[in-house]
Amino acid sequence: METVGRYETLHKLGAGGMAEVLLSRTTGEGGFEKLVAIKRILPSMAENESFVKMFIDEATISAKLNHSSIGQIFEFGKAGDSYFIAMEYIQGVDLRAIHRHFQQEGGAPPPEMAIFIITSVCSALHYAHTRGDSRGKPLGLIHRDLSPSNVLISFTGQCKLIDFGIAKAAERLYVTVGA
């Protein structure tokens, strides 16, 4: 079984052009076990200094956010030649899958569901956009990638905004084009 830092990899959840997400677990004394999602830079991107800086920014920015509707970051590290982010594993589906389901069924989600999702996302965005640092100075954070694939709905009914990878913040290491 492959490990990433102190995490055992169970299986791949998904991959994109620059990173992959792995379902992993950490274990401890007395049978302690916690599932996490590991986002890891692909080996082909590990040499790309600009992408590595963006990845570090994502971890740094996301770690400053603590809100019930934002996926939590637990750890940022390096295993071998690749950086990784250990984050909250949200067992469920993204909003894209929910939309696809209702399209196939020929209907729309119940109004209560839509209102809950919209309210949760707006609450997360408001929190992130108004968040200050430890001295109260605004972070100047803007998510910039609000898409259905970045809104996760857990099987227990939680709604979580994820992926602050291209967020704009006042104190970034790397500035994206058009920032």
Side-chain angles (χ1 to χ4, degrees), residues 5-94:
R6 61 190 177 101
Y7 303 95
E8 298 173 82
T9 299
L10 302 175
H11 68 269
K12 187 184 294 190
L13 293 171
M18 297 184 256
E20 63 184 347
V21 179
L22 310 165
L23 178 60
S24 303
R25 74 173 163 218
T26 185
T27 57
E29 298 298 318
F32 174 84
E33 181 178 297
K34 178 135 182 105
L35 294 177
V36 298
I38 299 289
K39 185 174 186 178
R40 176 173 65 178
I41 295 177
L42 292 173
S44 61
M45 296 302 293
E47 300 297 318
N48 182 324
E49 187 177 328
S50 296
F51 179 72
V52 169
K53 286 181 180 178
M54 284 175 52
F55 195 76
I56 293 169
D57 276 346
E58 176 181 357
T60 303
I61 291 166
S62 297
K64 293 177 182 180
L65 303 176
N66 186 14
H67 187 275
S68 61
S69 294
I70 295 176
Q72 297 299 292
I73 301 297
F74 301 133
E75 181 181 355
F76 174 72
K78 189 172 185 182
D81 294 333
S82 186
Y83 288 98
F84 70 90
I85 299 170
M87 55 193 160
E88 178 180 10
Y89 171 57
I90 300 147
Q91 188 174 9
V93 296
D94 65 23

